[in-house]
Amino acid sequence: RSLAAEDAHLYLWVTNGFLRDGFAVMDAWGFAYKACLTWVKPQMGLGNYFRGATEHVLFGIRGRLPTRSRSAVNWFQAPRGRHSEKPGVFYDLVEEASPGPYLEMFARRNRLGWETWGNEAIEHVALGAAG
């Protein structure tokens, strides 16, 4: 069971090949699946059967925390960044839809208003490149 608040939102990134695992993690952490958000990328990626041009974020809730916006859609388009770096538009969507506090695990960089956990985010702070 997760250490998240009784009323919380979860945004869990999964690639196409790991969707089942993502649902299992949500269940183990006590979150109920509610929606799948899709990042549409303008360039093709890797893939054995189909070339991946999307990634997904499983959205789940714990308790009764409502979203703050009724106008957010379940997809966004943004170019790829560095390996595993999430696009800024995703963070904007989370901040629009969910009240804080915000935590990103395995963060590639820091973001104002977010707690981050990850070696790369720590390295950015140590080098004075937070942001």
Side-chain angles (χ1 to χ4, degrees):
R1 187 131 172 114
S2 73
L3 298 175
E6 285 186 32
D7 294 315
H9 290 168
L10 173 68
Y11 294 83
L12 181 63
W13 283 91
V14 294
T15 57
N16 289 301
F18 289 93
L19 281 166
R20 286 181 189 265
D21 296 321
F23 287 113
V25 167
M26 290 183 85
D27 289 342
W29 288 354
F31 284 86
Y33 168 78
K34 295 298 179 185
C36 182
L37 311 177
T38 300
W39 173 16
V40 179
K41 303 173 185 182
Q43 22 343 40
M44 282 192 300
L46 303 175
N48 293 324
Y49 300 99
F50 294 91
R51 300 291 300 272
T54 61
E55 277 189 50
H56 306 286
V57 181
L58 302 180
F59 173 74
I61 65 166
R62 200 163 131 180
R64 299 191 176 275
L65 186 63
T67 54
R68 297 183 346 175
S69 172
R70 296 271 185 205
S71 62
V73 296
N74 70 338
W75 69 276
F76 52 94
Q77 187 169 359
R80 295 174 196 258
R82 302 185 307 147
H83 176 70
S84 294
E85 183 178 33
K86 306 311 178 217
V89 68
F90 166 72
Y91 299 100
D92 296 341
L93 184 149
V94 171
E95 291 169 357
E96 176 187 342
S98 297
Y102 306 106
L103 167 68
E104 181 179 14
M105 297 179 67
F106 311 109
R108 298 287 183 201
R109 62 187 195 115
N110 293 297
R111 181 176 172 94
L112 185 63
W114 288 64
E115 292 293 323
T116 56
W117 183 85
N119 287 342
E120 291 187 25
I122 292 169
E123 289 172 8
H124 280 270
V125 170
L127 296 174

